[in-house]
Amino acid sequence: MSAPLYFQTIAGLSAQLAAGRISSVELTQSVIARTKVVEPRVHAFNSFDEPDALTQAAASDVRRAAGESRGPLDGIPVGLKDVIAVSGQPLTASSKMLANFVSPYDATATENLQRAGAVLHGRLNCDEFAMGSSTENSAFGPAHNPWDLTRTPGGSSGGSAAALASGAAIATLGSDTGGSIRQPAALCGLVGLKPTYGLISRYGLIAYASSLDQIGPFARTVEDAAIMLGAIAGHDPRDSTSFKTEIPDYRAELKNRRGPWKLGIPKEYFGAGLDPEVGAAVEKAIAFYKSLGCEIREVSLPHTQYCLDAYYVIATAEASSNLARYDGIRYGHRSKEAKNILDVYQHSRAEGFGDEVKRRIILGTYVLSSGFYDAYYLRAQKVRTLIRQDFLSAYREVDALVTPTSPIPAFKLGEKSADPLAMYLCDIYTIGVNLAGLPALSLPCGFTASGLPIGLQLIGQPFREADLLATAHAYEQAHDWSKRRPAL
Amino acid sequence: MSHPADLNIDRIAELSRLALTPEEKARFSAQLGSVLGHIEQLAKVDVAGVEPTAHAFPLHNVWAIDVAQPGLAVADALRNAPSQRDNMIVVPKVVE
Amino acid sequence: MNYEAVIGLEVHIQIKTHSKVFTRVGAGYGHEPNTLTDPVVLALPGTLPVMNKAALDAIIKAGLLLGCEIAAVCKWDRKQYFYPDSPKNYQISQYDQPICIGGFVEIELPGSARNVMGEHKNIPLTRIHLEEDVGKLNHHVIDSLVDYNRAGTPLMEIVSDPAMHTAEEAFAYLTSIRNTMIYGGISDCDMEKGQLRCDANISIRPVGETKLGTKVELKNLNSISFVRDGIAHEIKRQLAVVAAGGKLIQETRDYDGQTGTSQSLRSKEMAHDYRYFPDPDLMPVHVDVAWKNSLRDTCPELPFDKQRRFLSEYAVPYTITSVLIPERKLGDFFEAAAKLAGPGRAQAVGNWIANDFLRELGAGKIALAAAKITPAHLAALVQLVDAGTLLNAAAKEVFAEMFATGEAPAAIVARLGLTASATDAGELETWCRDAIAANPKALTEFKAGKDSAINAFKGPIMKAAKGKANPKLVDEALRRLLASL
Ligand SMILES: [Mg+2]
Ligand SMILES: [Zn+2]
């Protein structure tokens, strides 16, 4: 007996759509109905446009009937993190600052999904301006982990993960600046992919840290992630950091690219702070790859201990500048208290931003301020070079790296929110990847005794997502973690 | 490397255009003090002769040719404006 | 004690492009408010800049024209400050790696008289960089209205060394930059439209001192003559403060050209800390030799070089060159016409342009490019006059017709019957004999060696010929007859 439509995969649903066994409207209605059931408990959405979703679904059915289907995503409900612009739709970044903002333009990723026929049905909750690891920094309240509603789904793309895990979407997009796709994917038992920097256009993605941000998919399977990636990848002349590179058929390549691979185990990623159950699950996954005939080699990324520091200097510096535009003048929250222009800035921003955003703006302003630039920002950029070189030297020996995604499984809501540093440490295994610009994905590799998902991180080589996905696919085919669904 | 005590929260809040309450200033200073304490580690890295990385995959000469394209209609440009008049954004009088 | 002033200028010039510097919505002046915006201009969430190749070409060309070194690599930085005309609250600019380094501006100081060329000298430049313009604030009684049409227009900032010492030098410097940029097609430099804006840093120091004195920044110098007046005023003010035993303070002052006074801009604003850092949304620019050479090929001869050449090659007077040089197309017109007119006729060509042509253009408010007259027509006119086929008075009439209709002078002469008479020699000789016979006094004077006495006979001859006699032939015939008497 098959799962309800809302819990199925893109691959499976697109086959049924193609065969005419279901319609997009039927599928979309199933997802909407499910959303209405789980949303009050999960709070994955910031906004949801039911009539618009059904209109898109109906249009997809009309296309299909006319023999003009646009491929596997045509008619599939896909949710977007609320930092990706859709023309005519709210775009809030989960901030009071943008609570009433409606985007007059589309992100390139949005256009690409629309071109693929996806039904964009809602805007997903996240940490405010994508700053956080638990979605607790959302001005509209935290999202909850569908596997345990008292716990966080992770963050910052927590809504994207929670919606998908709970059946309120068939796939979603998130953004990842320091682990914001991979960590929630790990905490919610999903596949989450952070592509190589430059593979996905950032045009229309609300910038947090421009040199680190990258849009990527959440999916139930590696195959679905490959389908999503294929739809959004590619050069965009509107993003000067977008890379011109051949986009392979990622889905087809899953079968073409077979191991065995040489896999590196970075020893610095298995130290203190790693939860024993997570460690054990990852060890088991490594053992599986060995059983496939893969060569497993310990490698060293000696500058790993500096990743967090370099990250918080670079990311907050860029953020302090990127968020200067939120001033209550052309759009966004304007303080009623403002009597003069300085008030407009100071009060609108004080009222519009939450604590974590303020903290990062302050930190970023500080590290760029006169007299501190060299000691912090410039030095962090140099350390970034060393971190990147660590990875590139490892790739002279191995094809990919295998690590835990998050040192711990989903933690309790409120557990870390008073201690920024403790929260920042959630990202220690993911931020190096952003600093180096590499592709990495998280896929489920087990569950804790208490039933919480555990994520395995595979880190690949630049622009070789096809190999990365194939490596993950080989594991997934032999395990059934991805088939589990939370009970709620 | 400078000491976290150097974080002049008043000055930084002013530069950031954030009106912080005294309570917020005290709290953020303490919290950022511990983050900065961690960041101090960067001073230990030998970066002599190391070039900074601004972009993981540096490109150069990324540009577009100079052909004007239509922009936003005024209504769309001002759609989200908190205050507008005569198709312009209204702000409290700016004294030069 | 004797003091000298030290002046450095920061000149912002809008580069003439079709679209903005970091996005492709149109750039322009005089449009309805907020009709030249797009998501990037307004800094909407999620937007990203993309460089405009034409703006880069233009600034490299400007650098080549001003003798700058073009950096092999330059990059983009964010200059951060909050202001309502700045949509991102940072300006994309260039901080420590500008695209043009060094260079100089050749200037000409006023001569001892209008028709005497003044001293030339080179004012060294520090740098030229590319950045984006901000929007415009319209101030009302209780509020200000923001129009972002101008925001994102490409702007180059030309920074001079503190190397000028008088208001005249600053005036000459701006004039030269403006002429050069117009020559290069880089900007129209219309100060009324804000296409050229100037801030001056002014200090004074005892003569012989090499350290700079306390600097005052003078803002809002919005016409070239205000720059001269404002600087002169500020130097006087500083000298007066020092003479009265006062101390100068570092400040920014606003010069009011209407009243000729300046006022301190007491900065209620907090001190700046621009927190420059490399813009992560943009990639660096690498300029190779091939790119530079391709732009060098498009560089016109510089105004002063052209002036020197006109003076030596065409032997036109300095006053004429001062008319021809500032407008590149006028100089080009002159040169084309002078070449076609042939040797010895350049001055006549120059006179026609400097007097009649400019007057007609001015009277009809016609742009040079729209004028119907061609260099070939002007050259032909000069040749007709020179050949004696056309009298000066008639030539004026022909010119007016050429200007109005664009016809060739020969056609106009024929149409209006203005040809100096090709009368038969017998008739002409009769008129000459009659004229000589009628004026024995002039005959005596001429015989006594007063050559100009010959002119006395010409009037009656022309009258008899009803103005159509060829003056050259008349002259020849008269001399032949007079010699035989
Ligand atoms: Mg300047
Ligand atoms: Zn400037």
Side-chain angles (χ1 to χ4, degrees), chain A residues 88 100-104 196-197 211 239-243 303 305-306 308-310 312-313 318 328-332 334 338-342 344-347 349-350 353 355 358-359 361-363 365-367 369 372 375-376 378-386 388 418-421 424-425 435-438 462-463, chain B residues 1-9 11-21 23-25 27-29 31-60 62-64 72 76-84 89-95:
Chain A
N100 299 310
F101 184 80
V102 174
S103 176
T196 310
Y197 185 84
S211 76
D239 175 358
S240 306
T241 63
S242 166
F243 216 81
H303 295 90
Q305 61 170 312
Y306 303 110
L308 191 74
D309 305 309
Y312 275 97
V313 170
E318 293 180 4
I329 292 186
R330 295 160 313 287
Y331 54 83
R334 187 186 287 191
K339 302 273 182 292
N340 58 43
I341 190 70
L342 191 57
V344 172
Y345 293 132
Q346 295 189 324
H347 291 287
R349 289 163 62 79
F353 292 141
D355 279 3
K358 287 178 190 169
R359 271 193 292 268
I361 290 174
I362 289 169
L363 185 57
T365 303
Y366 172 68
V367 299
S369 65
F372 297 102
Y376 288 117
L378 187 62
R379 178 166 275 266
Q381 294 279 54
K382 290 177 178 173
V383 173
R384 183 178 183 182
T385 304
L386 298 173
R388 191 160 183 275
D419 183 354
L421 189 56
Y424 297 173
L425 288 167
L435 290 166
L438 301 170
F463 301 105
Chain B
M1 166 106 29
S2 50
H3 193 265
D6 294 342
L7 180 79
N8 177 346
I9 191 82
R11 171 68 174 149
I12 299 300
E14 190 176 271
L15 279 177
S16 312
R17 298 295 188 272
L18 288 169
L20 300 183
T21 64
E23 182 277 321
E24 284 175 317
K25 284 182 184 174
R27 184 157 45 88
F28 293 163
S29 292
Q31 288 167 329
L32 291 175
S34 69
V35 174
L36 281 167
H38 201 281
I39 288 174
E40 299 291 293
Q41 274 207 96
L42 286 176
K44 292 192 281 187
V45 188
D46 179 8
V47 293
V50 178
E51 285 296 315
T53 293
H55 296 102
F57 303 101
L59 302 164
H60 61 265
V62 180
W63 54 50
L72 285 174
D76 288 328
L78 301 180
R79 169 177 193 159
N80 290 286
S83 177
Q84 56 173 291
I89 303 277
V90 181
V91 295
K93 185 167 174 109
V94 179
V95 191

Side-chain angles (χ1 to χ4, degrees), chain C residues 10 12 79 91 129 131 157 159 199 217 219 276:
Chain C
E10 282 174 24
H12 284 92
K79 179 183 182 178
Q91 180 193 31
H129 66 255
E131 56 189 28
E157 181 174 337
V159 183
D199 298 331
E217 193 180 3
K219 285 205 174 288
Y276 280 102

